[in-house]
Amino acid sequence: MSPIDAPVPPTGGDPLAPRRSGSTDAAVLLSARGIRKSFGSNDVLRGIDFSVRRGEVVTLIGPSGSGKTTVLRSLNGLETPDGGALEFDGGPAIDFSRPVAKAERLAMRDRSAMVFQHHNLFPHMTVIENVIEGPTRVQRVPKAQALASAEALLDRVGLADKRDQYPHQLSGGQQQRVGIVRALALKPDLLLFDEPTSALDPELVGEVLHVIKELADEGWTMVVVTHELQFARQAADEVLFMDGGVIVERGAPGEIFTNPREDRTRRFLDRILRPLD
Ligand code: ADP
Ligand code: MG
């Protein structure tokens, strides 16, 4: 049994964690409407619409180059869309058809935290230093408080004993779990994962997916770009299939994976399920 198959505890391990809703009456945390982005003449996002409710897990799948990373980077303020609007938590919409004020961009950036394909840890800092960097330097959290919170989070992902090690002393799976803790330490409303296991050796994938699945069960709201269909099937409330800068098809994982409506979705799933055909 792989770790992701292991039974998971019932919802609500941490009473302070947001509750996993699973219901359609939970508040919309993020709404993206008509997001467009071009790089030169390359129209990478051609009108992306979706919303994420509090406690929901949305997975984004699609071929390489379809625009998945650009969607996440646009949500996190790392890219500025050329058009469309984003709305967080029912607040005022950020309208990208006009110049966006710096304050708006910074406020948007603080809403989410991203876990990258490569962990992006600072090599010259220990694990704990990496984790408290964002809270202390960017969010001005007092160091003692940031340390206590970082230690609790490391303990939660089974890495308490790696506190004072350097990234190169950890396995790839451990490094990526520190990457997740670093995102959690920012206490974001929304977690964004960009193919968090694609750079890992196969035997290390399970431990990382297991942590992400637990966070989902605890009620974290997340958007996950992944090719791990078994994970998406077990953790996702909704799957969005992207191709050529548009969302071609969306639905519950059970629908999309067993009975896709669109040819393009079917061809993509066939390719990743039977890559040697
Ligand atoms: P995916 O994550 O689905 O593989 P990306 O969002 O990374 O897709 O990229 C979509 C397209 O946008 C690709 O053609 C890529 O080359 C292009 N692209 C992404 N980022 C940049 C950038 N900073 N400058 C120019 N082109 C980019
Ligand atoms: Mg990508």
Side-chain angles (χ1 to χ4, degrees), residues 29 39 80 88 138 182 203 222 224 234 238-239:
L29 178 64
F39 294 106
T80 306
F88 282 93
V138 181
R182 200 170 52 161
E203 76 272 20
M222 47 177 88
V224 188
Q234 292 185 7
E238 187 176 35
V239 177

Side-chain angles (χ1 to χ4, degrees), residues 119 121 159 162 165-178 200 204 207:
H119 57 74
L121 300 176
L159 293 177
K162 305 294 181 204
Q165 306 226 320
Y166 286 87
H168 73 89
Q169 297 173 297
L170 308 183
S171 72
Q174 289 168 339
Q175 289 172 354
Q176 197 55 313
R177 277 145 70 197
V178 176
L200 296 176
L204 303 177
E207 67 185 69

